[in-house]
Amino acid sequence: MVLQFYDNLLAYNPARARIVLLEKKIPYKTHHLNLFRGDQFAPAYVRINPNAWAPTMIDPEHDKILYDSKQVAVYVDNVDGKPLGGDKVDRKLVDEWVELTSEWDGNVFYRSTMPENMVTLFEDLKAYNIQTVENYKSSNPDLKDLYDTKIEALKKSATPEEIETSHNQVKAMIEKAHKTLSAENSKFLAGSEYSLADALFTVVLVRVVQSKGSQKYMDPYPSIKKYYGEMRKRPTFEPAFGSIFSSSAGVLAILPTLFWIQTSKLFKKKL
């Protein structure tokens, strides 16, 4: 039976799972969630994924539901017993990279680099999301506790310490990768073949580039620039990340919600 994958092509965490699905060439059906519109808060979805976020993966054949990007990536890599890289990679190194990339919050990093106008937009979206959850809560009393927890999470913002940590973590990952790629004269992070380590680290680099951080974090390391260039040549790169770098994709996704927000402001409606 085909895997069911709840995805958003613009979001960081779903990309961590999507790239592995594409690299493994495992058939799956995509269910697109518009996170700007609040699809992730719909009652039918939160009954599947109580965290109300993306991704979610359902494996009907093995009766599995996973909604953590690390869990999905590792599961997909091993579901057929043939993990990426096979015996040509060091499994301990792969596991180490899985942990390092999973401990990093790419969303905190991205939002900390936003220009002021984007910060304002995301604050408006936060208010819209909170109101959306409040509306769902009022019509679904059985989900009240879940929605209350989500509202509290939405109200929180990253602390200066969390932001500093995210920047230090990405710097450390890039330095570690540089040492490996330079010392071993290798194209990959955990051996002579592409592995889950490369898939997940590529998502990190994509986030850095998307955040306009390549000059600060990547340019000082020629090995990283070369590595990222090689990753971009892989046939999975465009289907995995193309929408992230497409301004039209972002505009089309956010425009209906933005229109509603601006209309509400115009008529002084309380979000």
Side-chain angles (χ1 to χ4, degrees):
M1 299 176 70
V2 176
L3 299 176
Q4 306 295 307
F5 184 55
Y6 291 80
D7 192 11
N8 179 278
L9 292 173
L10 302 174
Y12 171 74
N13 284 310
R16 286 165 44 82
R18 186 186 322 118
I19 184 63
V20 187
L21 284 163
L22 292 168
E23 285 287 348
K24 293 281 293 186
K25 299 180 181 178
I26 293 177
Y28 66 96
K29 180 179 179 180
T30 298
H31 303 268
H32 180 70
L33 299 171
N34 186 327
L35 304 184
F36 296 119
R37 187 173 58 202
D39 292 358
Q40 69 274 31
F41 307 125
Y45 183 69
V46 299
R47 294 182 198 281
I48 299 171
N49 183 339
N51 290 325
W53 61 30
T56 298
M57 194 196 72
I58 301 175
D59 182 349
E61 183 176 348
H62 297 99
D63 195 26
K64 286 267 189 183
I65 300 179
L66 302 170
Y67 38 79
D68 174 89
S69 60
K70 172 187 170 184
Q71 291 178 347
V72 176
V74 172
Y75 182 80
V76 171
D77 192 36
N78 292 278
V79 69
D80 58 358
K82 300 176 182 178
L84 291 167
D87 59 4
K88 300 292 182 65
V89 300
D90 184 330
R91 289 291 142 201
K92 288 184 178 180
L93 272 179
V94 172
D95 291 344
E96 185 177 335
W97 276 104
V98 169
E99 294 304 317
L100 285 172
T101 55
S102 299
E103 289 168 0
W104 185 62
D105 192 328
N107 291 323
V108 169
F109 180 84
Y110 178 63
R111 289 168 190 165
S112 73
T113 65
M114 284 180 177
E116 190 60 35
N117 63 325
M118 287 294 292
V119 172
T120 301
L121 173 60
F122 267 76
E123 286 301 312
D124 287 342
L125 285 170
K126 180 192 290 188
Y128 170 85
N129 283 334
I130 290 172
Q131 185 59 57
T132 298
V133 177
E134 290 280 9
N135 293 341
Y136 280 132
K137 184 178 76 169
S138 65
S139 57
N140 296 272
D142 60 312
L143 297 173
K144 178 182 180 302
D145 290 346
L146 187 153
Y147 282 132
D148 280 339
T149 299
K150 195 63 188 180
I151 289 169
E152 289 305 308
L154 287 169
K155 288 179 178 178
K156 292 181 180 178
S157 297
T159 65
E161 292 75 19
E162 289 170 333
I163 292 171
E164 182 180 7
T165 295
S166 74
H167 285 258
N168 289 338
Q169 285 175 319
V170 78
K171 182 179 179 181
M173 281 190 284
I174 288 174
E175 288 178 347
K176 178 180 175 62
H178 169 66
K179 288 178 182 178
T180 298
L181 295 169
S182 300
E184 303 298 330
N185 194 27
S186 171
K187 294 194 300 182
F188 306 109
L189 294 178
S192 60
E193 295 290 337
Y194 182 97
S195 72
L196 183 59
D198 300 290
L200 296 182
F201 185 59
T202 298
V203 187
V204 171
L205 295 181
V206 166
R207 195 58 151 179
V208 171
V209 173
Q210 183 190 15
S211 304
K212 313 299 183 187
S214 57
Q215 182 175 2
K216 178 179 180 179
Y217 291 102
M218 294 166 59
D219 286 1
Y221 303 100
S223 64
I224 298 299
K225 292 180 65 177
K226 180 180 178 181
Y227 175 87
Y228 182 65
E230 291 301 316
M231 294 301 105
R232 290 187 61 184
K233 295 176 184 178
R234 296 184 71 84
T236 56
F237 189 92
E238 180 61 27
F241 308 117
S243 293
I244 290 174
F245 295 109
S246 168
S247 57
S248 61
V251 169
L252 290 173
I254 200 173
L255 195 58
T257 301
L258 186 60
F259 176 78
W260 189 94
I261 290 171
Q262 295 304 320
T263 302
S264 296
K265 284 185 173 182
L266 180 64
F267 289 97
K268 297 182 179 179
K269 291 180 180 178
K270 184 177 180 181
L271 287 175

